[in-house]
Amino acid sequence: MAQVLEGDDSLRFEKDRAWHVVDQVDGKTYRSAFDVDGSDGDVGYLGRLPRLDGKGTFLYIAGVHAIGASGVVHFLENNLAELYREVRTRRFSTLISCRYDPKTLEVLESRRVTPLYRHEG
């Protein structure tokens, strides 16, 4: 997966004291709220990326922590039609922020925090 994600020139996972995502376009760093101040928020990556065998694309979901991936799924459940209208079947990537219940780990809200970066090719 690291090789696939390296093909994304817009968003990059990095690690210092904790994993985070850097927006290569605007230089902003996105960290899990849990890692920053212990609160109940995380960040997830959503992208349609090229398959390594060159035979199409696939949808990739990853969180800084596992709950971040659940936040992406929550976002898709509530915004799939709008997302499809914007990107159709083209390649893209974006980051999703989510807030969750710390007792049940249920995602309470999710929203896109970066633009939809369209990947040409």
Side-chain angles (χ1 to χ4, degrees), residues 32-41 100 102:
S32 170
F34 182 80
D35 294 332
V36 173
D37 61 15
S39 63
D40 6 319
Y100 58 91

Side-chain angles (χ1 to χ4, degrees), residues 103-117:
K103 292 183 179 133
T104 65
L105 298 182
E106 175 188 1
V107 175
L108 303 172
E109 62 183 26
S110 58
R111 64 184 177 91
R112 201 171 69 212
V113 293
T114 64
L116 284 169
Y117 291 117

